[in-house]
Amino acid sequence: MNKSNIPKHIAIIMDGNGRWAKEQGLNRTAGHEKGAKVVRDITMHCSNIGIKYLTLYAFSTENWNRPKLEVQFLMKLLERYFKSELPVYLKNNVKFKAIGDIGKFSNSLQKIIKDTQDKTAHCTGLTQILALNYGSRDEIVRAIQKLNYKNIQINEKNINSALDTADIPDVDLLIRTSGEIRISNFLLWQIAYAEMFFTQTYWPEFNSNELDDILSDFQKRERRFGGV
Ligand code: IPE
Ligand code: IPE
Ligand code: MG
């Protein structure tokens, strides 16, 4: 991997927690638990190699359709995650930002998300963006509604600034783990010219070596953006 030519913005669809756990003879929740540890490892690695933006798909607008117990577990895991991660963010100069409609979460989860954003707002290293109750269609609808309400002209620039990802550059590299080859309502607008990588590895087994391999591949690709 050539450290002088790394993508600015990596986005990852962290998939396969449940199947990983099942293959180990464990409950799906054990997969989510292990997956949260991988979030920390990959975030630290991206921070160390100088990535500026890392967006991770943690909970989709469609994930509410899962069994109630699994949804409850994920909500509790998120609260625990933020409690344990704040010192890690601060120590590593990582800024945290949430995208998605967090108003649907419990008050306590909303509060810890906002606190984590506020307390890391001064950090200048990697920005870690977690997609929480995120759906790209929902985000685009909310953006258009905002513009309508303020009577602002609908054009690419204004839509871009009304999205949850305003101020964040487009995705350069999109990765999905677990062998599924689909986007599942993630960053539809922002991946217009992203390079895509799909790996069979389940998220709980994804690691920084595999990410480095993907980065080396990424560097071999020629991005033309519609030009020649
Ligand atoms: C991704 O793993 C985590 C979330 C969507 C919260 P899954 O839970 O989707 O795991 P699989 O795809 O069922 O194996
Ligand atoms: C996408 O994974 C959402 C997250 C990774 C949070 P899913 O497991 O929900 O997506 P589908 O159902 O396989 O498309
Ligand atoms: Mg899945």
Coordinates of all heavy atoms in Angstrom, one line a residue, residues 81-131:
Y81 N -21.3 0.8 23.8 CA -20.2 1.2 22.8 C -19.8 2.7 23.1 O -18.6 3.0 23.2 CB -20.6 1.0 21.4 CG -19.6 1.5 20.4 CD1 -18.5 0.8 20.0 CD2 -19.8 2.8 19.8 CE1 -17.6 1.3 19.1 CE2 -18.9 3.3 18.9 CZ -17.8 2.6 18.6 OH -16.9 3.1 17.7
F82 N -20.8 3.6 23.1 CA -20.4 5.0 23.2 C -19.7 5.3 24.6 O -18.8 6.0 24.7 CB -21.6 5.9 23.0 CG -22.0 5.9 21.6 CD1 -23.2 5.4 21.1 CD2 -21.2 6.5 20.6 CE1 -23.6 5.5 19.8 CE2 -21.5 6.6 19.3 CZ -22.7 6.0 18.9
K83 N -20.2 4.6 25.6 CA -19.6 4.8 26.9 C -18.1 4.4 26.9 O -17.3 5.1 27.4 CB -20.4 4.0 28.0 CG -21.5 4.8 28.6 CD -22.2 4.1 29.7 CE -23.6 4.7 29.9 NZ -24.7 3.7 29.9
S84 N -17.8 3.3 26.3 CA -16.4 2.8 26.4 C -15.6 3.5 25.3 O -14.4 3.7 25.5 CB -16.4 1.3 26.1 OG -16.8 1.0 24.8
E85 N -16.2 4.0 24.2 CA -15.4 4.6 23.2 C -14.9 6.0 23.4 O -13.9 6.5 22.9 CB -16.1 4.5 21.8 CG -16.1 3.2 21.1 CD -14.9 2.3 21.4 OE1 -13.9 2.4 20.6 OE2 -14.9 1.5 22.3
L86 N -15.7 6.8 24.2 CA -15.4 8.2 24.3 C -13.9 8.5 24.6 O -13.2 9.2 23.9 CB -16.3 8.9 25.3 CG -16.0 10.4 25.5 CD1 -16.2 11.2 24.1 CD2 -16.9 11.1 26.5
P87 N -13.4 7.8 25.7 CA -11.9 8.0 25.9 C -11.0 7.6 24.8 O -10.0 8.3 24.6 CB -11.7 7.2 27.2 CG -12.9 6.4 27.5 CD -14.0 6.9 26.6
V88 N -11.4 6.6 24.0 CA -10.6 6.1 22.9 C -10.6 7.2 21.8 O -9.6 7.5 21.2 CB -11.1 4.8 22.4 CG1 -10.3 4.3 21.2 CG2 -11.2 3.7 23.5
Y89 N -11.8 7.8 21.5 CA -11.9 8.8 20.5 C -11.0 10.0 20.9 O -10.2 10.5 20.1 CB -13.3 9.4 20.4 CG -14.4 8.5 19.8 CD1 -15.6 8.3 20.4 CD2 -14.2 7.9 18.6 CE1 -16.6 7.6 19.8 CE2 -15.2 7.1 18.0 CZ -16.4 7.0 18.6 OH -17.4 6.2 18.0
L90 N -11.1 10.4 22.2 CA -10.3 11.6 22.7 C -8.8 11.3 22.6 O -8.1 12.2 22.2 CB -10.8 12.0 24.1 CG -12.2 12.5 24.2 CD1 -12.7 12.7 25.6 CD2 -12.4 13.8 23.4
K91 N -8.4 10.1 23.1 CA -7.0 9.8 23.1 C -6.4 9.8 21.7 O -5.3 10.2 21.5 CB -6.8 8.5 23.7 CG -5.4 8.0 23.9 CD -5.2 6.9 24.9 CE -3.8 6.4 24.9 NZ -3.6 5.2 24.1
N92 N -7.2 9.4 20.7 CA -6.7 9.3 19.3 C -7.1 10.5 18.4 O -7.0 10.4 17.2 CB -7.2 8.0 18.7 CG -6.5 6.8 19.4 OD1 -5.4 6.5 19.2 ND2 -7.3 6.2 20.4
N93 N -7.7 11.6 19.0 CA -8.0 12.7 18.2 C -9.1 12.4 17.2 O -9.0 13.0 16.1 CB -6.7 13.3 17.6 CG -6.9 14.8 17.1 OD1 -7.8 15.5 17.6 ND2 -6.1 15.2 16.2
V94 N -10.0 11.5 17.5 CA -11.0 11.1 16.5 C -12.3 11.9 16.8 O -12.8 11.9 17.9 CB -11.3 9.6 16.6 CG1 -12.5 9.2 15.8 CG2 -10.1 8.8 16.2
K95 N -12.8 12.5 15.7 CA -14.1 13.2 15.8 C -15.2 12.2 15.5 O -15.1 11.5 14.5 CB -14.1 14.4 14.9 CG -15.3 15.3 15.0 CD -15.5 16.2 13.8 CE -14.5 17.4 14.0 NZ -14.9 18.5 13.1
F96 N -16.3 12.2 16.3 CA -17.4 11.4 16.0 C -18.6 12.1 15.5 O -18.9 13.2 16.0 CB -17.8 10.6 17.3 CG -19.2 9.9 17.1 CD1 -19.3 8.8 16.4 CD2 -20.3 10.5 17.7 CE1 -20.5 8.2 16.2 CE2 -21.6 9.9 17.5 CZ -21.7 8.8 16.7
K97 N -19.2 11.5 14.5 CA -20.5 12.1 14.0 C -21.5 11.0 13.6 O -21.1 10.0 13.1 CB -20.1 12.9 12.7 CG -21.3 13.7 12.1 CD -20.9 14.4 10.8 CE -22.1 14.8 10.0 NZ -23.1 15.6 10.7
A98 N -22.7 11.3 14.0 CA -23.8 10.4 13.6 C -24.5 10.9 12.4 O -24.8 12.1 12.2 CB -24.8 10.2 14.8
I99 N -24.9 10.0 11.5 CA -25.9 10.3 10.4 C -27.1 9.4 10.5 O -26.9 8.3 11.1 CB -25.2 10.2 9.0 CG1 -24.7 8.8 8.7 CG2 -24.2 11.3 8.8 CD1 -24.3 8.6 7.2
G100 N -28.2 9.8 10.0 CA -29.4 9.0 10.2 C -30.4 9.8 11.1 O -30.1 10.8 11.6
D101 N -31.6 9.2 11.2 CA -32.6 9.9 12.0 C -32.6 9.4 13.5 O -33.3 8.4 13.8 CB -34.0 9.6 11.3 CG -35.1 10.3 12.0 OD1 -34.9 11.1 13.0 OD2 -36.3 10.1 11.6
I102 N -31.7 10.0 14.3 CA -31.6 9.4 15.6 C -32.7 9.7 16.6 O -32.8 9.2 17.7 CB -30.2 9.8 16.3 CG1 -30.2 11.3 16.5 CG2 -29.0 9.4 15.5 CD1 -29.1 11.7 17.5
G103 N -33.7 10.6 16.1 CA -34.8 10.9 16.9 C -35.7 9.7 17.2 O -36.6 9.8 18.1
K104 N -35.5 8.6 16.5 CA -36.3 7.4 16.8 C -35.7 6.5 17.9 O -36.3 5.6 18.4 CB -36.4 6.5 15.5 CG -37.1 7.2 14.4 CD -38.5 6.7 14.0 CE -39.2 7.7 13.2 NZ -38.7 8.0 11.8
F105 N -34.5 6.9 18.4 CA -33.9 6.1 19.5 C -34.4 6.6 20.9 O -35.0 7.7 21.0 CB -32.4 6.3 19.4 CG -31.7 5.6 18.3 CD1 -30.7 6.3 17.6 CD2 -32.1 4.4 17.8 CE1 -30.1 5.7 16.5 CE2 -31.5 3.8 16.7 CZ -30.5 4.4 16.1
S106 N -34.1 5.9 21.9 CA -34.5 6.3 23.3 C -33.8 7.6 23.6 O -32.8 7.9 23.0 CB -34.1 5.2 24.3 OG -32.7 5.2 24.4
N107 N -34.4 8.3 24.6 CA -33.8 9.6 25.0 C -32.3 9.4 25.5 O -31.5 10.2 25.2 CB -34.6 10.2 26.1 CG -35.9 10.7 25.5 OD1 -36.0 11.0 24.3 ND2 -36.9 10.8 26.4
S108 N -32.1 8.3 26.2 CA -30.8 8.1 26.8 C -29.7 7.8 25.6 O -28.6 8.3 25.7 CB -30.7 7.0 27.8 OG -31.1 5.7 27.3
L109 N -30.2 7.0 24.7 CA -29.2 6.7 23.5 C -29.0 8.0 22.7 O -27.8 8.3 22.4 CB -29.8 5.6 22.7 CG -28.9 5.2 21.5 CD1 -27.5 4.9 21.9 CD2 -29.5 4.0 20.7
Q110 N -30.1 8.8 22.5 CA -29.9 10.1 21.8 C -28.9 11.0 22.5 O -28.1 11.6 21.9 CB -31.2 10.8 21.7 CG -32.2 10.2 20.7 CD -33.4 11.0 20.5 OE1 -33.4 12.2 20.3 NE2 -34.6 10.4 20.6
K111 N -29.0 11.0 23.8 CA -28.2 11.9 24.6 C -26.7 11.5 24.5 O -25.9 12.4 24.3 CB -28.7 11.9 26.1 CG -27.9 12.9 26.9 CD -28.4 13.1 28.3 CE -27.7 14.1 29.1 NZ -26.3 13.9 29.2
I112 N -26.5 10.2 24.6 CA -25.1 9.8 24.6 C -24.5 10.0 23.2 O -23.3 10.3 23.1 CB -24.9 8.3 25.1 CG1 -23.4 8.1 25.5 CG2 -25.4 7.3 24.2 CD1 -23.2 6.9 26.4
I113 N -25.3 9.9 22.2 CA -24.8 10.1 20.8 C -24.5 11.6 20.7 O -23.4 12.0 20.2 CB -25.9 9.8 19.8 CG1 -26.1 8.2 19.7 CG2 -25.5 10.3 18.4 CD1 -27.3 7.7 18.9
K114 N -25.4 12.5 21.2 CA -25.1 13.9 21.1 C -23.9 14.3 21.9 O -23.1 15.1 21.5 CB -26.3 14.7 21.5 CG -27.4 14.7 20.4 CD -28.6 15.5 20.8 CE -29.8 15.2 19.9 NZ -31.1 15.2 20.6
D115 N -23.8 13.8 23.1 CA -22.7 14.1 24.0 C -21.3 13.7 23.3 O -20.4 14.4 23.4 CB -22.8 13.3 25.3 CG -23.8 14.0 26.3 OD1 -24.2 15.1 25.9 OD2 -24.0 13.4 27.3
T116 N -21.4 12.5 22.7 CA -20.1 12.0 22.1 C -19.7 13.0 20.9 O -18.6 13.3 20.8 CB -20.3 10.6 21.6 OG1 -20.8 9.8 22.6 CG2 -19.0 10.0 21.1
Q117 N -20.7 13.4 20.2 CA -20.4 14.4 19.1 C -19.9 15.7 19.7 O -18.9 16.2 19.2 CB -21.7 14.7 18.3 CG -22.1 13.7 17.3 CD -23.3 14.0 16.4 OE1 -23.5 13.4 15.4 NE2 -24.1 15.0 16.8
D118 N -20.5 16.2 20.7 CA -20.1 17.5 21.3 C -18.7 17.4 21.9 O -17.8 18.2 21.7 CB -21.0 17.9 22.5 CG -22.4 18.3 21.9 OD1 -22.5 18.4 20.7 OD2 -23.4 18.4 22.7
K119 N -18.4 16.3 22.6 CA -17.1 16.1 23.3 C -16.0 15.9 22.4 O -14.8 16.0 22.8 CB -17.2 15.1 24.4 CG -18.1 15.5 25.6 CD -18.3 14.5 26.7 CE -19.1 15.0 27.8 NZ -19.8 14.0 28.5
T120 N -16.3 15.4 21.2 CA -15.2 15.1 20.2 C -15.1 16.2 19.1 O -14.3 16.1 18.2 CB -15.3 13.7 19.6 OG1 -16.5 13.7 18.9 CG2 -15.3 12.6 20.6
A121 N -16.0 17.2 19.2 CA -16.1 18.2 18.2 C -14.8 18.9 17.9 O -14.5 19.3 16.7 CB -17.2 19.2 18.5
H122 N -13.9 19.0 18.9 CA -12.6 19.7 18.7 C -11.6 18.8 18.0 O -10.5 19.3 17.7 CB -12.1 20.2 20.0 CG -11.8 19.1 21.0 ND1 -12.7 18.4 21.7 CD2 -10.6 18.6 21.3 CE1 -12.1 17.4 22.4 NE2 -10.8 17.5 22.2
C123 N -11.8 17.5 17.9 CA -10.8 16.6 17.4 C -10.5 16.9 15.9 O -11.4 17.2 15.2 CB -11.2 15.2 17.7 SG -11.3 14.8 19.4
T124 N -9.3 16.7 15.5 CA -8.9 17.1 14.2 C -8.3 16.0 13.3 O -7.9 16.2 12.2 CB -7.8 18.2 14.2 OG1 -6.7 17.7 15.0 CG2 -8.4 19.5 14.8
G125 N -8.3 14.7 13.9 CA -7.8 13.6 13.1 C -8.9 13.0 12.3 O -9.7 13.7 11.6
L126 N -9.0 11.7 12.3 CA -10.1 11.0 11.6 C -11.5 11.4 12.1 O -11.7 11.6 13.3 CB -9.9 9.5 11.9 CG -11.1 8.6 11.4 CD1 -10.9 8.3 9.9 CD2 -11.1 7.2 12.1
T127 N -12.4 11.5 11.1 CA -13.8 11.7 11.5 C -14.5 10.3 11.3 O -14.5 9.8 10.2 CB -14.6 12.7 10.7 OG1 -13.9 14.0 10.8 CG2 -16.0 12.8 11.1
Q128 N -15.0 9.7 12.4 CA -15.7 8.4 12.3 C -17.2 8.8 12.3 O -17.7 9.4 13.2 CB -15.4 7.5 13.5 CG -16.0 6.2 13.4 CD -16.5 5.6 14.7 OE1 -17.2 6.3 15.4 NE2 -16.1 4.4 15.0
I129 N -17.8 8.3 11.2 CA -19.3 8.6 11.1 C -20.0 7.3 11.2 O -19.7 6.3 10.5 CB -19.5 9.2 9.7 CG1 -18.7 10.5 9.5 CG2 -21.0 9.5 9.4 CD1 -18.0 10.6 8.2
L130 N -20.9 7.2 12.2 CA -21.7 6.0 12.3 C -23.1 6.3 11.7 O -23.8 7.3 12.1 CB -21.9 5.6 13.8 CG -20.7 4.9 14.4 CD1 -21.1 4.4 15.8 CD2 -20.1 3.8 13.6
A131 N -23.6 5.4 10.9 CA -24.9 5.5 10.3 C -25.9 4.8 11.2 O -25.8 3.5 11.4 CB -24.9 4.9 8.9

